[in-house]
Amino acid sequence: MSTFSTPYAIAVVGAASGIGQAAAALMARRGAKIICLDRNGQGARATADEILATGGEASAYPIDITDRISNSAVWDSVIRETGQLHAVVNCAGITGQTNLKAHQVDPDDFDVVYKINMLGALLVSQAVLPHMLSKNYGRILHLASIAGKEGNAGMTAYSATKAGLIGMVKSMGKDYAETGITINSLAPAVIRTPMVAAMPDAQVTYMTDKIPMKRCGELDEAAEMISWIVSPACSFTTGFTFDLSGGRATY
Ligand SMILES: NC(=O)c1ccc[n+]([C@@H]2O[C@H](COP(=O)([O-])OP(=O)(O)OC[C@H]3O[C@@H](n4cnc5c(N)ncnc54)[C@H](O)[C@@H]3O)[C@@H](O)[C@H]2O)c1
C-alpha cells in the first residue's frame, strides 16, 4: 500500500469519471493533495468537493488536453498553486466509434481519438516536464489499454492510438531516466466505467470474453495500482506499461 507524505501533489486528468475519479479519491485518502482536471469542469469540481468533504485536500480546473494554448495555461496555474507538482495521472481517453471493421472507420473519428489519446498525452507531459526537471523529481502515468498491446477487433482507432501511447512512453521514459522522473503507462482490460457503458454490447462482450479471470476489473484494483506507480516507492521502473488485465496480457 502506498501512502503519501504531505505535501505530495498529484494532478489527475479525467478526474470527473471512471478510473480517474476512483484514483483521485483513493490517493486523497492516502494523504495526497489532488488537483482534479477534466474537460467536464463540473465533474472535476464534484470529485474535488467529495475529497474536501471527507477531509482531504483538493482543487479543480477545467481542461481540454487537446487545446495547446489553454492546456499549457492550466498547467501553469496548477504548478503555481502547488509549488511542487509531484505526479500526473492522465486518464483522459476516448474509444471513438467501435464495433467497426477497419474499412468502415471514419478518418475524422480516428483523428479525434488520436488527438485525445496520443497528442493530448504528449501535451500534458510537455506541460509538466520542465517543472519536474527543475525539481529533479516526477511521476507521470498515462492510461493505455490492453487494446494497445494486443489490438482489439472493431477498435482500430483506439488500439492504434493506445499502441502509439505505449511507444511514446517507452521513448519518454528513457529520455528522462537519469532525472528522477519516471514515465509509465497502465494497460487495463475491461473496467466497468461510463466509457465502457457507452460501447456496443457486442464490443464489450468480445473484450470481456478474452479475460482469463472471467470477470471485469474493479475500479479499486485500478486505483491501487495507479496510487503505487505514482508514489515515491515506485522508483526503479520507467518507460514501462503495467498490466491490469486479469491474465490477458502475456508480455
Ligand atoms: N474502462 C476501461 O475498461 C478501460 C480499459 C482500458 C483503458 N482505459 C483507459 O483508461 C482511461 C480512463 O477511462 P475510463 O473508463 O475511466 O473513462 P471515462 O469516460 O469514465 O473517463 C474519462 C474522462 O476523461 C475525460 N476526457 C476525455 N477527453 C478529455 C480531454 N480532451 N481533456 C480532458 N479530459 C478529457 C472525460 O470527460 C472523462 O471524465 C482512458 O484513457 C481509457 O482509454 C479504460
Side-chain angles (χ1 to χ4, degrees):
M1 185 178 89
S2 55
T3 49
F4 301 101
S5 57
T6 46
Y8 197 87
I10 305 173
V12 179
V13 186
S17 176
I19 295 171
Q21 186 182 22
L26 181 78
M27 296 187 297
R29 288 200 297 279
R30 301 263 164 90
K33 173 178 175 144
I34 307 297
I35 300 91
C36 301
L37 302 123
D38 204 293
R39 70 177 171 184
N40 172 359
Q42 280 187 333
R45 182 71 259 164
T47 301
D49 286 345
E50 275 178 36
I51 291 171
L52 291 168
T54 51
E57 271 194 274
S59 61
Y61 295 82
I63 193 170
D64 179 348
I65 60 166
T66 66
D67 180 330
R68 293 184 197 197
I69 294 166
S70 74
N71 175 71
S72 137
V74 171
W75 287 106
D76 287 348
S77 301
V78 170
I79 289 164
R80 235 189 341 269
E81 180 200 327
T82 57
Q84 179 170 4
L85 180 63
H86 297 83
V88 174
V89 179
N90 173 26
C91 301
I94 59 164
T95 61
Q97 295 167 355
T98 62
N99 206 26
L100 296 174
K101 295 199 186 300
H103 72 277
Q104 300 169 313
V105 169
D106 175 355
D108 289 335
D109 183 66
F110 189 103
D111 197 41
V112 173
V113 177
Y114 156 75
K115 285 205 170 79
I116 294 176
N117 292 0
M118 266 188 80
L119 183 65
L122 175 71
L123 295 176
V124 166
S125 307
Q126 288 183 323
V128 299
L129 276 164
H131 168 73
M132 289 180 172
L133 282 168
S134 76
K135 302 289 185 187
N136 297 312
Y137 183 85
R139 299 279 181 268
I140 299 176
L141 176 65
H142 295 291
L143 267 287
S145 169
I146 187 73
K149 292 174 89 171
E150 299 213 339
N152 278 348
M155 300 181 77
T156 300
Y158 188 72
S159 302
T161 54
K162 293 297 187 179
L165 177 60
I166 289 169
M168 193 161 76
V169 161
K170 283 182 187 171
S171 172
M172 291 198 305
K174 293 179 183 70
D175 282 344
Y176 301 99
E178 295 176 78
T179 67
I181 301 168
T182 67
I183 307 178
N184 292 296
S185 66
L186 176 65
V190 187
I191 317 262
R192 293 231 173 242
T193 66
M195 188 184 86
V196 173
M199 293 164 71
D201 287 345
Q203 188 69 59
V204 178
T205 303
Y206 163 88
M207 298 187 309
T208 309
D209 283 351
K210 288 187 175 298
I211 300 174
M213 285 189 188
K214 295 294 172 210
R215 68 171 177 88
C216 294
E218 300 291 335
L219 282 172
D220 278 353
E221 291 171 321
E224 286 285 355
M225 277 195 82
I226 289 169
S227 176
W228 181 71
I229 294 166
V230 301
S231 75
C234 183
S235 50
F236 196 49
T237 305
T238 195
F240 185 64
T241 295
F242 287 83
D243 169 52
L244 186 70
S245 70
R248 182 172 167 194
T250 48
Y251 76 100

